[in-house]
Amino acid sequence: MSERAALPDLDTLNHEALKALIIAQHAQILFKNEQLLSKEEQLASRDEEIERLKLLIAKLRRMHFGRKSEKLDWQIEQLELKLDELEASRAQQLAAPPAPMAASAVNRAAKRGRQPLPAHLPRETHKVLPKQEACPDCGGALKPLGEDVSEILEYVPEHFKVIRQVRPKLACACCDKIVQAEAASRPIERGMAGPGLLAHVLVSKYCDHLPLYRQSEIYARDGVELDRSTLAEWVGGCSRLLEPLVEALRRHVMSAEKLHADDTPVPVLAPGNGKTKTGRLWTYVRDDRPWGDQTPPAVWFAYTPDRKGEHPKTHLREFTGTLQADGYAGYDAVYEDGRVKEAACMAHVRRSFYDLYEAHKSAVAKEALERIAALYAIEEEIRGRSAEERREIRNARSRPLLESLKHWFEETLGKLSTKSDTTKAIRYALKRWDELMRFCNDGHLEIDNNAAERSLRAVVLGRKNYLFAGSDAGGERAAAIYGLIGTARLNGLNPEAYLREVLSRIADHPINRIEEFLPWNLAAELTGSSRRAA
């Protein structure tokens, strides 16, 4: 909490000083009122946009009869996705630390009627008794007085259930003192969703690539009506709750001495015109297991609205070491002061020749692939050995192969057209030759950047399924959850079981010990099927 400036002793101030103090206080009040008004206007504008989208979706659905129109289906899906993101953004903002405007908005939302949980679901009763066994005032015996009952909709693998939290009220037989256990905290304040259900919604959206409106339809088949807007509020609330954990994950990744980096485009709906722009998801992977290091592997994602080179420079501002990445020019600013060294990726070199061979059965491409395959065979053999042993073997066996490959590249160039695709592939390799050779002198490095590319697979699959992110805020939420899910998988954990455990405890956990919830620190508590990576 920020410290407030204390008022001076008013009795000691003269007329002019009092006048100046009043003017300053008045100006401060006006400034704060303008800030609050601006936030309220933003929320009002967002609410209007949500209502407009709901009306438009309803209109399109009414038009959707007879023979199906693929274009109409696509329009409805895109509007549904945009609505998901707007409502999740609103929920995330309302989950921010209390402020006069935010608190009033939350109270208004809380007053909305809530449908009772379905009666057909199985119910599990948890009775929460007060810690006191006798009256805390006079020591008298306690007798039942009544009880408070609340219900939480929970999800366990393959089915829903309702947990009834019963808090009996006990009264002292001597002095009528009433004793009752405090209500258990919930991941989302006043929310009806349990941690298992919240984890399932997040993993379904970001790991299994099911947009919220599709999840709503799936749950309805089980007789559980969960409106898409409700699911969006849960996603926004969880994102806000998990922010400190995502920051702890970032610090762990950036403290490495070697990182893998890559990025991929993400279509994002541009506000106002219904068209899409191209944002980027950046991935940074810390994984030193190939040389036998026991430091837990992890991946951190970042979202940006474009691909400017300033973004990786900002992401890597605290990193010192070697960055293994592709030849994107935006990384040049990261390397220019020498704090970060560049290591290139042999897989990018190989990919160009593979495409050439698949297209033309080129003899040059075939020989290049065979020479590169010999390098990978050595890497497979030394995987898991110490960094020093890897360095020695690479210098003894891989370096001569690389020198021969370079000489062959240079000879082959003279026999090819300067404009051919094969020439371009060779020149790409020769331009980065020193960076490609760097792994020979450092056993901590890899021959390629496949660790980063593997981390992007979930993003690519999701992009095929839901086409775009609904907003920049939606891209940032996706980056945060992708990082937690990806890190859980790298550590051999089931992402849903991991998030369920985190969400069941994080609301009451001290923020200065948030690192305790990083996946490897919870691995021992997740056993059996919970430990199997999805």
Side-chain angles (χ1 to χ4, degrees), residues 176-391:
D176 291 331
K177 168 76 174 182
I178 297 176
V179 177
Q180 185 181 33
E182 293 184 2
S185 62
R186 304 187 182 194
I188 298 178
E189 190 175 359
R190 291 184 293 274
M192 68 171 180
L197 177 55
L198 295 173
H200 182 70
V201 170
L202 291 175
V203 170
S204 295
K205 178 175 173 64
Y206 295 108
C207 188
D208 299 330
H209 324 301
L210 284 173
L212 298 181
Y213 73 91
R214 292 182 186 168
Q215 291 190 51
S216 179
E217 295 169 354
I218 292 170
Y219 302 148
R221 293 200 296 266
D222 284 336
V224 180
E225 298 291 338
L226 291 176
D227 189 76
R228 185 265 331 287
S229 62
T230 299
L231 298 177
E233 289 176 1
W234 293 351
V235 170
C238 288
S239 298
R240 179 71 184 183
L241 189 63
L242 293 170
E243 283 176 2
L245 182 58
V246 175
E247 172 59 20
L249 179 63
R250 185 196 68 82
R251 292 196 300 268
H252 173 78
V253 170
M254 291 301 159
S255 65
E257 295 181 359
K258 180 261 294 182
L259 286 180
H260 297 270
D262 204 352
D263 68 286
T264 191
V266 179
V268 180
L269 200 65
N273 57 16
K275 299 180 180 179
T276 58
K277 60 180 183 177
T278 301
R280 308 296 296 194
L281 272 176
W282 306 78
T283 182
Y284 299 93
V285 180
R286 175 179 186 173
D287 190 353
D288 293 323
R289 291 174 297 177
W291 58 274
D293 187 69
Q294 299 301 310
T295 303
V299 54
W300 176 70
F301 283 85
Y303 168 82
T304 60
D306 51 53
R307 205 194 184 199
K308 294 179 181 177
E310 65 193 43
H311 299 307
K313 186 174 183 179
T314 299
H315 300 156
L316 296 163
R317 63 189 180 277
E318 301 172 9
F319 173 69
T320 300
T322 303
L323 183 69
Q324 199 138 21
D326 58 22
Y328 169 51
Y331 293 120
D332 292 347
V334 177
Y335 305 132
E336 62 185 6
D337 63 0
R339 177 176 53 87
V340 178
K341 296 180 180 179
E342 178 184 4
C345 173
M346 184 62 73
H348 277 77
V349 175
R350 181 188 181 280
R351 193 168 298 136
S352 298
F353 291 105
Y354 177 82
D355 292 341
L356 287 167
Y357 183 75
E358 287 294 303
H360 310 296
K361 303 301 178 186
S362 161
V364 173
K366 181 180 179 181
E367 182 169 351
L369 290 174
E370 290 173 349
R371 287 172 175 266
I372 294 172
L375 293 168
Y376 272 91
I378 297 172
E379 290 303 302
E380 185 65 27
E381 181 183 333
I382 63 176
R383 184 170 301 277
R385 300 192 189 184
S386 70
E388 181 58 28
E389 189 175 1
R390 279 155 55 103
R391 186 187 67 80

Side-chain angles (χ1 to χ4, degrees), residues 362-418:
S362 161
V364 173
K366 181 180 179 181
E367 182 169 351
L369 290 174
E370 290 173 349
R371 287 172 175 266
I372 294 172
L375 293 168
Y376 272 91
I378 297 172
E379 290 303 302
E380 185 65 27
E381 181 183 333
I382 63 176
R383 184 170 301 277
R385 300 192 189 184
S386 70
E388 181 58 28
E389 189 175 1
R390 279 155 55 103
R391 186 187 67 80
E392 291 178 357
I393 293 175
R394 285 169 175 173
N395 276 315
R397 297 169 56 186
S398 299
R399 184 178 290 276
L401 294 178
L402 284 162
E403 291 172 350
S404 174
L405 177 62
K406 182 183 180 184
H407 180 69
W408 178 74
F409 275 158
E410 292 170 339
E411 280 189 342
T412 304
L413 270 181
K415 306 173 184 177
L416 299 172
S417 166
T418 57

Side-chain angles (χ1 to χ4, degrees), residues 12-126:
T12 63
L13 298 180
N14 58 31
H15 174 76
E16 292 300 324
L18 280 170
K19 182 179 177 180
L21 178 62
I22 292 171
I23 292 173
Q25 291 292 323
H26 182 255
Q28 187 176 6
I29 291 171
L30 288 177
F31 175 73
K32 289 184 177 180
N33 284 340
E34 288 177 0
Q35 284 186 316
L36 289 175
L37 182 60
S38 175
K39 290 182 180 179
E40 288 177 347
E41 288 174 345
Q42 290 175 14
L43 281 177
S45 175
R46 182 180 296 159
D47 290 344
E48 289 174 2
E49 177 72 359
I50 287 172
E51 293 306 317
R52 187 185 70 81
L53 282 173
K54 287 181 178 178
L55 289 173
L56 187 53
I57 289 171
K59 181 179 178 180
L60 288 173
R61 289 197 183 282
R62 285 195 297 271
M63 295 167 58
H64 194 263
F65 62 89
R67 185 175 180 179
K68 286 191 175 181
S69 163
E70 291 185 2
K71 182 177 180 181
L72 188 56
D73 285 340
W74 184 87
Q75 288 177 328
I76 293 174
E77 287 185 354
Q78 309 319 297
L79 292 173
E80 293 274 17
L81 288 165
K82 182 179 180 183
L83 195 52
D84 285 354
E85 298 295 353
L86 281 172
E87 292 180 325
S89 295
R90 178 174 63 181
Q92 187 171 0
Q93 186 170 351
L94 292 178
M101 176 277 301
S104 63
V106 170
N107 290 336
R108 288 197 300 271
K111 290 179 182 178
R112 292 180 298 182
R114 178 186 293 168
Q115 296 294 325
L117 296 176
H120 71 275
L121 295 179
R123 273 160 168 76
E124 182 178 302
T125 300
H126 293 180

Side-chain angles (χ1 to χ4, degrees), residues 326-327 345 348-349 352 423-432:
D326 58 22
C345 173
H348 277 77
V349 175
S352 298
T423 297
K424 292 178 182 177
I426 292 176
R427 285 178 175 168
Y428 175 89
L430 292 177
K431 182 180 179 181
R432 294 164 178 80

